[in-house]
Amino acid sequence: MIKKRVKFIILLIIVLLFPIGCQRMNKDSYTNLESELDITEKISKDLYECNEISFKDLEINEASGMELDDDKIYISDSDSNDVKIFDKSFKNIGLINMDTIAKPSLISSYENKLAILDEVSFKIVVFDKKSMKQLLTIDLPSIKEDSFYQDMDMNNDEIFITMHTVEFDDAKIYKVDLKDSKVTSIKDDFLGNVYSEGENTYFINSMEAYHESDREGFRGGENHIYSLKKGELVDIGKLIGSSYPGDFFQSDDGFYVYTAGWSAIDFYDKKCSYKHSLVSFDSSDIQAILKGNSSHMYLLMPNEKRLFEIKRK
């Protein structure tokens, strides 16, 4: 718990204070953020209803990962070292507690496979969802103490993982080949999130990387949606600048993005043009996990210990 709070404080400093420290270098984008934020507030539409789900009622102490699968909701509890399974009405219907996982964190699934990240051993354990038989274990590269894995998603043959770190050289996108368990880096100098579904994989950067003669790192600035084509990131559209976008998913009509800058779920069309905000929140967590579809979604704020259910009216 203390470690997660330290991570959150570091992230909060990056998100809130870093743009101010870089005001000389990034003044235009910060000004644009203020004007863009005015626009989002004006054209937000009341299309969805939002309800908060009590961690206490779910008997969850330290939620650190979430995944949806058909009619099931998986939530990892790093305090009790298990993964709790709920139906869509949040009735507890199962539990995953394996000796091979010391502290479950991020969760992802595809068809018959369920992948759970152990944040102690930095291993991904892949299970068969029906039998819960362990299919394979993947060792991830070692990372620095103040780095952590930000997001994880999978398709039929691959798992993609993004990282978050205060150290510039630890910010990467990793790809895990499920056929041979090989882990490779497909993009360095990247902070953001991933969404993979079938043959389509997308990434969003939360901050932009910069290199200067006397310093380097990440700052609020241009944010983009990328499509993965032949192992390379292809820029397909620009999001609102300096908005600190986080987790997201893609649907037939466009992209649904949790925006940490003003703590809202925003909708962008297929051309990545901002259309409206679905719902806003009174607290923000750049590590928030967004799952679901255009009519029914869930947002987990692990550092704030809050879980929301969002439904179209």
Side-chain angles (χ1 to χ4, degrees), residues 4-17 148 150 164-166 191 207 285-287 303:
K4 280 187 171 291
R5 282 295 171 184
V6 171
K7 291 177 182 177
F8 176 63
I9 292 171
I10 292 172
L11 286 173
L12 192 62
I13 292 171
I14 292 173
V15 172
L16 298 179
L17 299 182
F148 60 94
Q150 168 81 6
H164 204 121
T165 177
V166 296
L191 287 178
M207 296 179 231
D285 187 350
I286 198 170
Q287 287 181 250
N303 293 301

Side-chain angles (χ1 to χ4, degrees), residues 60-158:
I60 292 176
N61 297 318
E62 201 76 33
S64 54
M66 178 175 64
E67 176 65 320
L68 304 185
D69 172 42
D70 298 327
D71 294 326
K72 297 178 181 178
I73 304 171
Y74 297 85
I75 300 179
S76 58
D77 189 341
S78 58
D79 183 68
S80 59
N81 299 336
D82 57 31
V83 176
K84 295 176 173 66
I85 307 173
F86 304 90
D87 63 14
K88 291 299 178 68
S89 64
F90 284 101
K91 177 184 177 181
N92 194 315
I93 58 174
L95 187 72
I96 301 173
N97 193 334
M98 298 288 184
D99 294 337
T100 51
I101 302 175
K103 191 174 286 292
S105 179
L106 301 175
I107 312 171
S108 62
S109 67
Y110 187 77
E111 294 183 345
N112 66 320
K113 297 188 292 292
L114 179 72
I116 303 174
L117 173 65
D118 185 350
E119 67 175 29
V120 172
S121 64
F122 298 125
K123 296 177 183 289
I124 296 175
V125 184
V126 182
F127 300 92
D128 176 86
K129 282 190 288 192
K130 291 185 178 180
S131 66
M132 287 312 298
K133 179 182 179 181
Q134 185 173 318
L135 301 177
L136 69 158
T137 300
I138 302 153
D139 293 311
L140 296 175
S142 60
I143 59 177
K144 297 184 178 180
E145 186 176 355
D146 52 5
S147 300
F148 60 94
Y149 294 101
Q150 168 81 6
D151 196 16
M152 179 173 74
D153 213 342
M154 71 186 303
N155 57 37
N156 188 49
D157 299 318
E158 300 163 318

Side-chain angles (χ1 to χ4, degrees), residues 204-295:
I204 284 180
N205 69 307
S206 300
M207 296 179 231
E208 65 176 5
Y210 72 91
H211 298 263
E212 294 182 343
S213 58
D214 58 339
R215 53 196 266 169
E216 61 181 19
F218 292 89
R219 64 187 179 195
E222 289 192 359
N223 303 122
H224 297 262
I225 297 179
Y226 301 90
S227 177
L228 185 65
K229 301 292 184 182
K230 297 181 179 180
E232 300 289 335
L233 295 191
V234 178
D235 188 347
I236 63 172
K238 183 179 178 181
L239 305 181
I240 295 176
S242 297
S243 59
Y244 301 102
D247 203 10
F248 70 103
F249 62 84
Q250 184 263 348
S251 69
D252 292 338
D253 53 350
F255 297 89
Y256 292 79
V257 183
Y258 172 71
T259 306
W262 46 81
S263 197
I265 297 175
D266 296 330
F267 173 66
Y268 291 81
D269 66 16
K270 293 180 180 179
K271 296 182 180 180
C272 304
S273 297
Y274 170 86
K275 292 303 179 182
H276 55 263
S277 297
L278 311 184
V279 62
S280 61
F281 307 92
D282 59 5
S283 58
S284 182
D285 187 350
I286 198 170
Q287 287 181 250
I289 299 170
L290 179 65
K291 300 290 184 179
N293 55 52
S294 59
S295 61

Side-chain angles (χ1 to χ4, degrees), residues 168-179:
F168 192 73
D169 57 353
D170 248 2
K172 304 179 188 301
I173 298 173
Y174 285 116
K175 182 185 76 171
V176 179
D177 190 325
L178 294 175
K179 295 177 181 178

Side-chain angles (χ1 to χ4, degrees), residues 178-195:
L178 294 175
K179 295 177 181 178
D180 58 13
S181 299
K182 185 178 180 181
V183 181
T184 56
S185 173
I186 64 172
K187 176 66 175 175
D188 294 339
D189 304 351
F190 187 94
L191 287 178
N193 289 71
V194 57
Y195 174 79

